[in-house]
Amino acid sequence: MAQHDDETPETGSAVEKHEPRPVSAGTAVLTTDVYDNPGEPPHRDRVTDIDPKAEKTAERQVSIFFFLSIVGSVGAIAAYIAFPITSGDTQSVRLNNLFLGLGIAMGLLAIGLGAVHWSKTLMPAREITEMRHGTRGSEETREKAVEVFTLGNDESGFGRRSLIRNSLIGALVATPLPAVVIFRDLAPKEDPNDVLRHTLWEKGMHLAHDPSGARIKASDVTLGSAFHVIPESLNESEDLLEEKAKAAVLLMRLKPEDLHPVEGRENWQYDGIVAYSKICTHVGCPVALYEQQTHHLLCPCHQSTFDVTNNCEVIFGPAKRPLPQLPITVDADGYLVAQSDFHEPVGPSFWERSK
């Protein structure tokens, strides 16, 4: 039977009580139930560590992944060319995106799988314990970094495994090629310098109302009026918006005595009617505001102001160049026509401008 609480237990009993030992103030009490460091698990060799044939097979497998990456990258370029996007054909867009995406995905995925397989089968698999410590850029640290880099090269076999090294280099070189081809194709087929220098205006091209395309007679342009003008052939152009962004013109009529043309441009106007590019030379905004009394053209974006009486020179704002003038005259029926294209590029400055 169980003993009562008030009974004194016998020596060796399971309920024997011990008096606590006196501990002086400041004494540290250390527990004895501390776990021993179990250490690292025993190292297990992989098949490639003990079998040279398996190692050679793994090396070939890694190279195959890298070669597949090259095939994917080149295939993306081929797909981009083989399945061009046709305007208005949604199916061409789907095919282009599908095969282009598959090629790029294959190029990136294969190079990733090859790198993982390389590290899992051929690089050393021993466990390493690195103690935490402060790092400083001392000479000793730099020398250690070189040592680590050299050791990594030795362990990975990058320097001696020529098949893996060369296939990896080839994959890395081929991977960005699809992006280069795609971004290059954003530019026009023609030389951008020529494209920016020329517009639809040519000798004998009629000036037409924007957007109707109706021809403009010189007698219809009254003093103080301003016409928004486009080339007569603009509405028949395949790239209407792009061509309009370069060829748009403002037409105004002033008193001939108010104009002060520079030498060589005296005949670029007709009876006080002048035509200037509508594209601001600052960042290309439309210069659409005309002040009748002052004969100023104002760009609403950044307030660049041009003086029509003085060859559209800049009198205020961030623009640095005057608006290009379109030489005009009239045909036998009294309709306004261009004498030629602009004699300088329209719009903002670009890197290949001569001035």
Side-chain angles (χ1 to χ4, degrees):
M1 298 180 63
Q3 297 177 346
H4 297 285
D5 293 340
D6 56 351
E7 295 179 354
T8 302
E10 298 177 359
T11 303
S13 170
V15 293
E16 181 181 0
K17 295 183 179 180
H18 298 277
E19 294 295 331
R21 297 179 181 179
V23 179
S24 61
T27 300
V29 179
L30 300 178
T31 59
T32 59
D33 56 346
V34 178
Y35 292 101
D36 293 332
N37 184 356
E40 297 175 351
H43 177 71
R44 297 177 59 185
D45 289 331
R46 302 165 302 187
V47 177
T48 52
D49 295 330
I50 57 179
D51 187 354
K53 291 184 178 180
E55 180 184 8
K56 198 65 178 178
T57 300
E59 183 176 351
R60 286 194 293 266
Q61 290 171 345
V62 172
S63 299
I64 288 174
F65 278 121
F66 291 155
F67 284 125
L68 286 176
S69 175
I70 297 175
V71 171
S73 299
V74 175
I77 299 174
Y80 186 73
I81 298 173
F83 299 95
I85 295 177
T86 304
S87 179
D89 184 4
T90 57
Q91 183 66 15
S92 67
V93 177
R94 294 192 187 98
L95 291 176
N96 183 278
N97 290 342
L98 173 62
F99 291 105
L100 179 63
L102 288 176
I104 294 176
M106 179 178 174
L108 294 176
L109 180 62
I111 200 172
L113 292 176
V116 171
H117 191 51
W118 183 6
S119 65
K120 291 292 185 181
T121 58
L122 295 175
M123 294 184 184
R126 67 178 184 272
E127 293 76 14
I128 299 176
T129 302
E130 183 177 0
M131 303 302 295
R132 294 184 178 180
H133 57 84
T135 57
R136 293 181 295 179
S138 62
E139 292 298 326
E140 181 181 357
T141 302
R142 296 177 181 179
E143 294 176 1
K144 186 65 177 178
V146 174
E147 179 183 347
V148 170
F149 181 81
T150 305
L151 180 60
N153 179 50
D154 295 338
E155 292 180 345
S156 65
F158 188 83
R160 57 187 173 85
R161 300 184 190 275
S162 58
L163 181 60
I164 288 182
R165 181 182 67 247
N166 295 337
S167 59
L168 173 60
I169 293 174
L172 293 175
V173 171
T175 298
L177 291 181
V180 173
V181 173
I182 294 172
F183 292 146
R184 176 61 184 87
D185 202 41
L186 294 177
K189 297 179 181 179
E190 301 83 1
D191 182 0
N193 189 25
D194 293 335
V195 172
L196 293 172
R197 286 183 180 276
H198 301 291
T199 71
L200 287 180
W201 293 110
E202 59 183 12
K203 184 176 181 180
M205 176 71 67
H206 284 89
L207 278 67
H209 285 280
D210 182 13
S212 66
R215 294 180 178 181
I216 303 174
K217 274 194 171 183
S219 58
D220 296 334
V221 185
T222 58
L223 285 173
S225 61
F227 287 65
H228 297 265
V229 175
I230 56 175
E232 186 180 29
S233 64
L234 177 65
N235 291 331
E236 302 173 2
S237 174
E238 294 181 359
D239 302 319
L240 188 147
L241 292 179
E242 294 181 9
E243 295 296 341
K244 184 176 182 179
K246 297 188 297 179
V249 164
L250 276 175
L251 186 72
M252 298 140 291
R253 188 165 199 161
L254 288 70
K255 295 179 180 180
E257 59 269 21
D258 290 338
L259 297 174
H260 303 87
V262 297
E263 184 179 356
R265 297 187 179 185
E266 294 84 0
N267 64 341
W268 283 22
Q269 53 88 25
Y270 176 77
D271 196 22
I273 302 175
V274 290
Y276 284 95
S277 170
K278 189 178 176 180
I279 312 304
C280 183
T281 55
H282 177 218
V283 292
C285 297
V287 182
L289 303 178
Y290 175 59
E291 297 178 351
Q292 287 184 340
Q293 303 301 318
T294 60
H295 305 302
H296 291 168
L297 286 175
L298 177 66
C299 177
C301 293
H302 305 97
Q303 287 72 54
S304 293
T305 307
F306 306 88
D307 186 1
V308 179
T309 63
N310 193 27
N311 308 291
C312 272
E313 293 284 345
V314 182
I315 59 175
F316 181 79
K320 299 301 181 182
R321 295 181 293 106
L323 295 174
Q325 184 176 2
L326 179 69
I328 60 173
T329 185
V330 293
D331 62 7
D333 297 324
Y335 289 100
L336 292 169
V337 295
Q339 297 184 35
S340 65
D341 195 1
F342 291 100
H343 287 216
E344 60 182 305
V346 301
S349 299
F350 56 95
W351 60 94
E352 291 178 323
R353 270 188 60 91
S354 58
K355 62 177 181 177

